[in-house]
């Protein structure tokens, strides 16, 4: 009675008396009880029972190698498709313990390869590699060897730590997979597997920097599938190939062609978030941020809350001038991933621009705690220090430029620090370099102010003119008028001041002050 109650209660009782009663019951009796209980649970048609109690009873029933293996396989397939990787590994271990790798090769290989997929997703490539080595030792099945060879290549080229990757070894294994595929008797199946494995070789070539070879392999694969298969066959594989071709074209600096390929992919497979993310990235490269934003929003609808998608969405909002929405977006990225340095840098810079120095300092300190030498965060720190201590700001920004000499923002910030420190020649020199790296209206305006104060009116006028042409700002008009006045071009100066005041009447006192500054004694 105690033993039967233990089975009917789905074996969760830990009373030692009950456990002893169960252990002392004849195995064939116990197995019959487990069969009966599994049948009762299956009749309830509750899916969760297929992930726990039913597989457990089938494992302990009268036909564990048949019914137990089948129940565990069902649970395994569901969990790997749902991304429940830890559970998948557990079902794989239990299934491999029951399945006969010789008589049940399909089941045994499914348990093994779903485990390796999960191990790779969990960042355990060496454990996955050990399982593939075991598979090679246990069987001479050509399909298993082909799939294991392909997967091993992917581990060496993609899943190991960067310092441990071995693309030459990956190429060896890809060629082995291709050789196995050539042995398949059915021509259509052979063609599909050859193309699939060559696609893996294309990935290896891409990681080796051989982009043209990778593009050739993918393009030839697409043509081979079109030649050998019906249009409705292997649609998913065709989408993957075309997506890969799009990525390679983008890497080769051909974004318009890459986008055209991706549009075809999305038309045939519209509900895959990664395609819309890549489409958004290409549209931004092509200078179409509004369309990119729509692509990112579609990716957000289709995917879990991945930080990358939200970051690109927020960054595009910033590009479009939607500052408040961008700030909220970067904040959400940091909720998802507090280690996301790009989001931290951008939020710090936005907070500084929105006159929230306390918030900017908070991001700078937190970011530098996680990555002490990040040049972008140190640059924002220098900009924050500028308000109270220009000399200290110059020191911070000098340190930044020693490590990141191409960082235009740091040159511009150090130029401002030098200006506030009264060092006009250093200010102009730093802003010269900033404009070489990033010629924008703000840098032009700031250099123009330094040149104006240094009495270099012609050069200052050029900067203010170019700044106004790019972004018609009343304050820039005011300074342009001042340069014209200093150069004796009074009528043009008066017109510039008129335009300035029409746009912003609150600048009247500043216009008066600039006029008085240049009046003859």
């Amino acid at each position: 009675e105690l033993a039967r109650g233990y089975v009917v209660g789905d074996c969760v009782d830990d009373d030692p008396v009950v456990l002893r009663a169960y252990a002392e019951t004849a195995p064939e009796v116990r197995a019959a009880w487990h069969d009966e209980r599994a049948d009762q649970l299956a009749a309830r048609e509750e899916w969760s029972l297929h992930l726990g109690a039913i597989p457990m009873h089938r494992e302990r029933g009268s036909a564990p190698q048949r019914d137990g293996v089948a129940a565990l396989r069902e649970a395994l397939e569901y969990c790997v498709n749902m991304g429940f990787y830890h559970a998948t590994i557990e079902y794989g271990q239990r299934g491999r313990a029951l399945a006969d790798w010789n008589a049940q090769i399909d089941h045994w290989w499914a348990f093994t390869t779903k485990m390796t997929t999960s191990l790779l997703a969990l960042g355990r490539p060496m454990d996955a590699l050990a399982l593939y080595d075991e598979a090679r030792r246990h069987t001479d099945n050509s399909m298993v060897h082909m799939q294991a060879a392909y997967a091993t290549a992917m581990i060496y080229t993609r899943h190991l730590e960067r310092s441990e990757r071995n693309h030459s070894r990956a190429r060896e294994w890809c060629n082995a997979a291709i050789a196995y595929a050539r042995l398949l008797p059915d021509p259509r199946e052979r063609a599909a597997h050859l193309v699939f494995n060559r696609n893996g070789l294309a990935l290896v070539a891409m990681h080796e920097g051989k982009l043209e070879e990778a593009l050739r392999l993918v393009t030839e694969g697409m043509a081979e599938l079109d030649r050998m298969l019906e249009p409705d066959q292997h649609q998913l594989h065709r989408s993957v190939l075309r997506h890969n071709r799009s990525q390679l074209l983008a890497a080769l600096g051909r974004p318009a062609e890459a986008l055209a390929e991706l549009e075809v992919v999305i038309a045939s497979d519209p509900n895959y978030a990664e395609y819309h993310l890549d489409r958004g990235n290409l549209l931004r490269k092509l200078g179409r941020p509004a369309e990119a934003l729509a692509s990112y929003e579609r990716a957000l609808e289709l995917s879990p809350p991945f930080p990358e998608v939200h970051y690109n969405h927020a960054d595009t909002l910033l590009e479009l001038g939607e500052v408040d929405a961008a700030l909220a977006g970067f904040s959400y990225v940091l909720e998802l991933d507090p280690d996301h340095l790009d989001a931290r840098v951008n939020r710090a810079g936005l907070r500084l621009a929105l006159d929230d120095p306390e918030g900017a300092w908070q991001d700078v300190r937190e970011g530098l705690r996680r990555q002490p030498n990040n040049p972008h965060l140190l640059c924002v720190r220098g900009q924050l220090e500028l308000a109270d201590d220009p000399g200290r700001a110059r020191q911070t920004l000098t340190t930044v430029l020693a490590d990141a000499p191409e960082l235009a923002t740091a040159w511009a910030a150090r130029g401002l620090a030098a200006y506030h420190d009264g060092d006009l020649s250093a200010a102009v020199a730093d802003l010269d370099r900033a404009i070489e790296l990033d010629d924008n209206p703000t840098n032009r305006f700031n250099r123009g102010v330094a040149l104006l104060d240094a009495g270099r009116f012609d050069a200052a006028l050029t900067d203010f003119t170019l700044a106004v042409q790019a972004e018609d700002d009343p304050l820039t008009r005011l300074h342009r008028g001042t340069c014209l006045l200093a150069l004796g071009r009074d009528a043009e100066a008066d017109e510039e001041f008129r335009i300035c005041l029409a746009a912003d009447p609150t600048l009247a006192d500043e216009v008066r002050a600039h006029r008085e500054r240049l009046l003859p004694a």
Side-chain angles (χ1 to χ4, degrees):
E1 184 178 347
L2 288 174
R4 185 169 177 78
Y6 177 72
V7 174
V8 172
D10 299 324
C11 306
V12 298
D13 197 331
D14 59 0
D15 185 334
V17 176
V18 173
L19 295 176
R20 191 176 75 177
Y22 175 78
E24 292 178 352
T25 301
E28 64 274 13
V29 174
R30 293 201 310 259
W33 290 342
H34 283 295
D35 289 342
E36 181 183 4
R37 180 59 176 164
D39 291 341
Q40 290 172 353
L41 294 174
R44 287 164 57 172
E45 297 185 353
E46 295 178 25
W47 173 244
S48 63
L49 298 174
H50 291 270
L51 301 177
I54 291 175
M56 182 271 295
H57 287 296
R58 296 299 187 199
E59 285 174 283
R60 301 183 184 191
S62 59
Q65 281 194 309
R66 184 193 65 200
D67 299 339
V69 165
L72 288 166
R73 176 78 181 272
E74 181 182 41
L76 173 107
E77 297 287 355
Y78 175 83
C79 287
V80 75
N81 289 336
M82 292 298 292
F84 301 151
Y85 298 122
H86 295 88
T88 301
I89 292 170
E90 180 192 332
Y91 291 127
Q93 291 168 334
R94 289 159 61 184
R96 278 162 47 87
L98 290 179
D100 183 333
W101 63 265
N102 192 22
Q104 296 175 292
I105 185 66
D106 288 344
H107 281 311
W108 185 87
W109 179 236
F111 287 124
T112 301
T113 194
K114 305 301 183 185
M115 278 184 69
T116 55
T117 297
S118 301
L119 288 165
L120 292 173
L122 294 171
R124 296 167 57 186
M126 298 308 295
D127 292 335
L129 194 59
L131 286 175
Y132 287 125
D133 288 341
E134 180 193 36
R136 282 185 275 266
R137 289 193 301 271
H138 273 172
T139 182
D140 61 1
N141 182 287
S142 60
M143 187 66 77
V144 169
H145 276 268
M146 181 185 70
Q147 293 176 7
Y150 175 88
T152 300
M154 295 303 101
I155 290 174
Y156 278 114
T157 198
R158 181 179 181 184
H159 292 287
L160 294 175
E161 294 293 331
R162 289 193 179 276
S163 61
E164 298 174 356
R165 292 178 188 176
N166 188 329
H167 304 308
S168 295
R169 181 68 60 82
R171 185 177 280 271
E172 293 170 9
W173 281 110
C174 266
N175 282 330
I178 291 167
Y180 284 119
R182 291 186 189 279
L183 302 176
L184 294 172
D186 181 88
R188 293 191 175 191
E189 187 180 9
R190 182 169 62 248
H193 283 287
L194 278 171
V195 171
F196 180 82
N197 290 321
R198 284 175 180 153
N199 183 51
L201 186 59
L203 179 64
V204 176
M206 184 180 74
H207 288 166
E208 291 174 322
K210 300 174 182 177
L211 300 182
E212 293 290 355
E213 178 192 350
L215 182 62
R216 176 182 59 79
L217 286 165
V218 171
T219 303
E220 289 174 355
M222 292 168 59
E224 180 69 5
L225 289 184
D226 289 342
R227 187 175 69 85
M228 293 296 298
L229 304 178
E230 297 298 325
D232 61 341
Q233 291 181 305
H234 286 276
Q235 288 288 352
L236 179 60
H237 191 187
R238 291 172 194 247
S239 293
V240 170
L241 283 170
R242 197 173 288 276
H243 181 223
N244 290 352
R245 189 169 191 274
S246 172
Q247 291 180 307
L248 287 165
L249 287 167
L252 286 164
R254 297 156 64 180
E257 294 174 73
L259 180 61
E261 288 286 350
L262 198 55
E263 296 288 12
V264 177
V265 175
I266 291 172
S268 63
D269 189 3
N271 297 317
Y272 189 46
E274 185 177 347
Y275 296 158
H276 294 277
L277 172 62
D278 288 351
R279 183 176 184 271
N281 294 343
L282 286 170
L283 287 166
R284 288 192 75 185
K285 284 183 181 178
L286 291 167
R288 296 156 62 180
E291 294 171 76
L293 189 68
S295 285
Y296 292 140
E297 288 171 352
R298 181 59 180 151
L300 290 173
E301 292 173 359
L302 294 171
S303 73
F306 290 128
E308 181 187 3
V309 185
H310 281 279
Y311 174 81
N312 288 7
H313 183 255
D315 203 40
T316 307
L317 285 168
L318 182 60
E319 183 181 351
L320 291 168
E322 301 286 342
V323 176
D324 291 336
L327 183 62
F330 291 131
S331 296
Y332 186 58
V333 173
L334 290 168
E335 282 185 40
L336 296 172
D337 179 10
D339 288 326
H340 200 295
L341 263 297
D342 288 340
R344 183 79 60 187
V345 170
N346 283 359
R347 190 172 75 171
L350 266 181
R351 284 174 160 178
L352 176 63
L354 293 171
D355 198 25
D356 179 16
E358 183 178 343
W361 268 117
Q362 180 184 358
D363 276 334
V364 166
R365 292 189 182 104
E366 180 62 22
L368 291 175
R369 184 182 69 80
R370 296 170 184 271
Q371 194 177 93
N373 298 316
N374 183 280
H376 299 280
L377 289 167
L378 287 171
C379 183
V380 178
R381 189 178 83 177
Q383 292 171 295
L384 287 163
E385 291 168 343
L386 179 59
D388 299 317
D389 191 342
R392 183 180 179 86
R394 290 178 78 177
Q395 291 176 0
T396 298
L397 294 162
T398 298
T399 301
V400 171
L401 290 169
D403 293 329
E406 301 302 308
L407 189 55
T409 308
W411 286 104
R414 194 173 75 166
L416 282 176
Y419 175 81
H420 288 291
D421 225 10
D423 191 346
L424 294 179
S425 61
V428 171
D430 281 352
L431 287 162
D432 285 345
R433 181 61 179 145
I435 289 170
E436 287 177 18
L437 295 167
D438 182 15
D439 191 346
N440 63 57
T442 300
N443 287 343
R444 285 280 180 181
F445 175 83
N446 288 336
R447 189 175 69 174
V449 171
L451 289 166
L452 179 60
D453 285 2
R456 296 169 59 184
F457 303 122
D458 283 315
L461 179 61
T462 299
D463 273 344
F464 291 133
T465 299
L466 290 170
V468 162
Q469 289 172 354
E471 187 177 288
D472 196 348
D473 177 74
L475 195 59
T476 309
R477 290 274 186 184
L478 186 154
H479 284 80
R480 187 172 184 276
T482 303
C483 289
L484 290 166
L485 198 62
L487 292 167
R489 296 159 64 177
D490 293 5
E492 293 174 77
D494 286 342
E495 177 62 15
E496 204 67 12
F497 290 140
R498 185 192 66 76
I499 295 171
C500 165
L501 291 174
D504 187 354
T506 65
L507 291 175
D509 289 341
E510 288 196 50
V511 169
R512 190 177 302 108
H514 278 246
R515 280 184 177 281
E516 291 173 354
R517 170 184 171 188
L518 294 171
L519 286 174

